[in-house]
Amino acid sequence: MTMYHVEPYYKFSNSDVELPNSMYPLKSIYDFGEGEENSPLVELERRQERILQELNLLKNEVETLSARYAPKSGSRQVTRVSTANTNWLKNGVVHDIVINANPNQPPHSLFVLYKLLSEQCTCAVAVHTHSSIKVLPFQLSECFGECTTKRNKAQIMLTLIWKDVTRVEMVINPNSQTPIQGEANVGRYLARLLNPAYDADDIIRATEIDNWIDLATNSFLNGSSRDRTAAIKTLNSHLGKQDWLMGDEVSLADIMMWSMLHQSGQEVENANIQKWNKACGIHPLFDKAQGLL
């Protein structure tokens, strides 16, 4: 006995129920019919073809540039044979270089690079003391020794001004140039006046030199004690494989590293660095700078 009589909610006898075989029925993206040339998939394929064509063109350009600027055979060997670097020389025109430096942190690399320049060019030099410096050690006032070349006979006129500055500054043309700051940048500029310039022949070698200069600047001059410790470890390991940083002879990397290592006052007991430092001390290029330590 039932209280309420209710008709059945569903009846299978009158109609068949189609059971789905998937959760969401979607139209196949691979089934192209007429009028579907502008479908998103077709547009994606066209875009991919365009990208592949552009990549192929870029690859051809890179191969062309690589063939044009590939290092010459044996270019990684240290050599002084190169195309003359005399673009900055003009007959009868003196190339003026004015450098401001703090006597409490003398840029030792300047004296080494000046000696290299004086071997290739006619150089004159003058040393002055700014009013911001009250007392100047005698060896700094005579840091270049006696200069007999007159300005009107020189190709390069280097003027060093001992001044109370936070970092080394160099000015070539005060009317149209912002001062170049930092011993590393000054050293790079002077080394580009040499023949050959340090970055003239082999871009890979030049990059390695720049890497050593940046390591010296960021670790020994501007780094923390941890940075200096890591740099000494790297330097000592490298010098255990060869006498100089770039091979068999002195390079700009050695000049800058030696200068900044001494300016930092860092005590070095590593055998390889001590051997390298001693070699720098007895090298003729470093004699003037060595006398200022």
Side-chain angles (χ1 to χ4, degrees), residues 109-118 123-125 144 147 158:
S109 61
L110 172 62
F111 308 105
V112 182
L113 291 169
Y114 177 78
K115 186 164 186 176
L116 282 171
L117 285 170
S118 62
C123 299
V125 65
F144 288 103
C147 178
L158 175 63

Side-chain angles (χ1 to χ4, degrees), residues 19-32:
L19 298 177
N21 54 14
S22 64
M23 182 174 294
Y24 302 106
L26 296 175
K27 185 176 180 180
S28 174
I29 62 174
Y30 302 103
D31 184 17
F32 299 123

Side-chain angles (χ1 to χ4, degrees), residues 127 129 136-144 162:
V127 180
T129 304
L136 182 70
F138 174 77
Q139 64 268 27
L140 293 184
S141 63
E142 302 293 332
C143 53
F144 288 103
W162 294 114

Side-chain angles (χ1 to χ4, degrees), residues 28-264:
S28 174
I29 62 174
Y30 302 103
D31 184 17
F32 299 123
E34 296 183 359
E36 297 186 358
E37 295 181 357
N38 296 324
S39 66
L41 185 61
V42 173
E43 181 59 30
L44 183 61
E45 289 181 346
R46 291 173 179 170
R47 181 185 176 192
Q48 184 181 18
E49 289 296 328
R50 290 195 300 268
I51 292 175
L52 291 175
Q53 291 176 1
E54 292 176 0
L55 287 175
N56 189 47
L57 292 175
L58 181 60
K59 177 184 176 182
N60 293 336
E61 291 181 9
V62 171
E63 290 177 350
T64 301
L65 292 174
S66 298
R68 182 183 303 174
Y69 298 107
K72 300 177 182 179
S73 176
S75 60
R76 300 201 35 105
Q77 298 294 325
V78 178
T79 176
R80 292 190 179 277
V81 179
S82 176
T83 303
N85 177 36
T86 57
N87 294 332
W88 57 273
L89 287 176
K90 296 181 180 178
N91 292 331
V93 178
V94 180
H95 190 70
D96 268 300
I97 301 175
V98 179
I99 295 178
N100 298 322
N102 195 318
N104 294 324
Q105 200 172 24
H108 303 297
S109 61
L110 172 62
F111 308 105
V112 182
L113 291 169
Y114 177 78
K115 186 164 186 176
L116 282 171
L117 285 170
S118 62
E119 292 176 356
Q120 298 183 4
C121 309
T122 304
C123 299
V125 65
V127 180
H128 303 285
T129 304
H130 191 264
S131 58
S132 59
I133 302 299
K134 304 303 180 184
V135 178
L136 182 70
F138 174 77
Q139 64 268 27
L140 293 184
S141 63
E142 302 293 332
C143 53
F144 288 103
E146 184 180 0
C147 178
T148 58
T149 304
K150 296 183 179 180
R151 173 187 169 83
N152 60 351
K153 301 294 184 179
Q155 293 172 302
I156 295 178
M157 179 65 206
L158 175 63
T159 302
L160 174 61
I161 302 175
W162 294 114
K163 185 178 180 181
D164 186 14
V165 291
T166 56
R167 64 183 67 182
V168 179
E169 297 177 347
M170 180 179 69
V171 177
I172 306 300
N173 186 343
N175 296 324
S176 61
Q177 179 205 12
T178 300
I180 298 174
Q181 295 188 334
E183 184 178 354
N185 294 323
V186 172
R188 287 185 176 104
Y189 178 87
L190 295 177
R192 289 190 176 101
L193 299 181
L194 295 170
N195 181 27
Y198 86 95
D199 56 354
D201 291 333
D202 187 350
I203 191 172
I204 298 177
R205 173 183 167 84
T207 302
E208 292 175 354
I209 291 175
D210 284 333
N211 184 56
W212 284 115
I213 295 175
D214 290 340
L215 178 68
T217 303
N218 297 331
S219 299
F220 293 122
L221 283 190
N222 304 321
S224 62
S225 58
R226 179 180 298 180
D227 294 330
R228 295 180 182 180
T229 301
I232 287 175
K233 184 177 180 180
T234 300
L235 183 62
N236 187 66
S237 175
H238 186 78
L239 290 173
K241 305 172 185 177
Q242 53 195 46
D243 295 334
W244 303 99
L245 290 179
M246 294 304 300
D248 298 330
E249 68 176 26
V250 177
S251 68
L252 179 63
D254 297 285
I255 296 171
M256 304 306 295
M257 182 68 72
W258 179 84
S259 173
M260 297 181 190
L261 182 61
H262 280 283
Q263 289 180 57
S264 69

